[in-house]
DNA sequence: CGTTGTGAAAGGGTTCACAGCT
DNA sequence: AGCTGTGAACCCTTTCACAACG
């Protein structure tokens, strides 16, 4: 399989969301053209994206909604549900701990962590907050593969390094810094202030 | 000025953040090479990005840190501070209302809104929560140009439409739906579950 | 001499267009 | 006939390489 671009993975996730919606509505099959129309993209884009991973359609008929959604779930590595920990129980971390959108899509928040003694031992949005000291133990016992990092910017690098040592595979980083981690660990960044800045630029263009 | 890609705007925001950091540290000038090294990109990329907007450097010497950061601030439309409202005071909206990262970069949260009577009139993270009925009034009186939309998915489209009618120019949308709005209104999407799904795919590749 | 600014080349992603299958 | 899967064309972004300049 050749190298697949991040854009394609983006769209695969979006296809998946639409397909599960269609499945709930009882739609059995769909063509690349209909899919593309709903999403405002080209049908050839849909077919090209899928072609990176295999042949999922039936010529003349289209794609089986349920089958394709299952295939995409497997491609994204979500068939079995990914175990996730959140580190940093500030405003954002707490909000994410309560966010329904995660568990709805196969993600399982297994534990939340902070280094603030006032928070450790307390239940935050249904999750018992643990000490950072216990991270390694949980990563092992709960098979945690991914962490969501919502600590203050100054602590992000150090916390990330500690987490990497425990064996996690991927980090969703909300701090506005480039984390320095081994190549085998994947880091995706969400920078909320940057999103607003971008929006500001495009808002100015009217 | 030719059409500038979203990637370029992304990086301009990142340059700005680094430049303000350097300015605080007392660094006076910097070359495109140093900038690029810190960010893990090519120096030619930095120069090409800047070239879309003008000539800001001195050959042989590099860029004046403070001057360049000011220029980028203007390019992003942030010299005067953008007025922002947040609609939807759930977990995420409340967290964003308290988020320091916004005000640090020229954004000014002017008002927060919800349609839940239990929240209206209460102060949430230092912001008095208003009824959606009052949105139009505030957009006018406070010159609000951008909204952050953190309502539940089912209400996102209707709320966005109401907001557009009041005259706002841009929406930062956290609901996982494609909002249908007039072309003159810019919508940027942040989809947290999608970020995790992408991460899952790349985490699986080890 | 060191670094910018920029045309030109290279690389990558998107769209086209059609052969091939049902 | 209808729709997929895909090589080729097209287009946009990144990188190169160097002339221009302080």
């Amino acid at each position: 399989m050749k190298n697949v671009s991040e854009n394609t993975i983006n769209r695969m996730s979006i296809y998946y969301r639409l397909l599960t919606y269609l499945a709930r509505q009882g739609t059995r099959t769909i063509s690349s053209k209909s899919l593309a129309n709903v999403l405002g993209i080209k049908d050839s884009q849909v077919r090209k994206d899928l072609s990176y991973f295999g042949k999922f359609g039936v010529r003349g008929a289209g794609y089986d909604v349920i089958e394709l959604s299952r295939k995409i779930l497997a491609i994204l590595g979500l068939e079995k549900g990914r175990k996730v920990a959140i580190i940093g129980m500030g405003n954002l971390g707490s909000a994410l701990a309560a966010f329904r959108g995660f568990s709805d899509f196969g993600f399982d928040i297994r534990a939340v962590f902070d280094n603030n003694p006032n928070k450790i031992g307390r239940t935050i949005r249904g999750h018992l907050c643990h000490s950072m000291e216990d991270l390694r133990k949980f990563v092992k016992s709960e098979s945690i593969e991914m962490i969501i990092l919502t600590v203050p910017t100054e602590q992000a690098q150090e916390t990330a390094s500690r987490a990497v040592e425990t064996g996690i595979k991927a980090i969703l980083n909300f701090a506005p810094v480039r984390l320095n981690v081994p190549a085998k660990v994947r880091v995706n960044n969400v920078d909320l202030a940057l999103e607003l800045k971008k929006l500001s630029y495009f808002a100015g263009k009217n």
Side-chain angles (χ1 to χ4, degrees), chain A residues 89-140:
Chain A
M89 282 294 111
N91 291 319
L92 185 58
S94 303
L96 294 180
F99 184 42
R100 290 223 147 262
F102 288 154
S103 49
D104 287 355
F105 283 108
F107 295 105
D108 191 358
I109 308 288
R110 280 302 171 98
V112 307
F113 297 86
D114 205 296
N115 62 7
N116 181 338
N118 293 331
K119 288 177 180 164
I120 296 165
R122 283 178 49 198
T123 298
I124 299 177
R125 319 268 176 156
H127 298 274
L128 180 61
C129 183
H130 300 281
S131 160
M132 278 296 290
E133 310 295 328
D134 297 335
L135 180 61
R136 180 182 300 274
K137 198 174 71 190
F138 273 89
V139 167
K140 291 279 187 309

Side-chain angles (χ1 to χ4, degrees), chain A residues 15-25 65 69 73 105:
Chain A
Y15 302 154
Y16 176 73
R17 193 168 59 212
L18 180 54
L19 287 165
T20 53
Y21 172 77
L22 291 171
R24 276 198 304 276
Q25 287 212 330
V65 170
S69 73
L73 200 67
F105 283 108

Side-chain angles (χ1 to χ4, degrees), chain A residues 173-189:
Chain A
N173 171 39
F174 283 79
V177 286
R178 211 171 72 96
L179 296 179
N180 199 348
V181 299
K184 64 171 200 263
V185 177
R186 172 79 187 192
V187 177
N188 275 13
N189 298 294

Side-chain angles (χ1 to χ4, degrees), chain A residues 27-63:
Chain A
T27 308
R28 305 290 281 274
T29 63
I30 190 164
S31 67
S32 57
K33 191 140 196 295
S34 314
L35 253 170
N37 283 345
V38 175
L39 300 174
I41 61 179
K42 289 275 191 306
D43 54 327
S44 54
Q45 180 78 82
V46 173
R47 295 198 299 279
K48 180 66 86 180
D49 284 338
L50 296 175
S51 78
Y52 291 126
F53 303 100
K55 304 181 185 193
F56 306 113
V58 179
R59 286 165 202 248
Y63 302 90

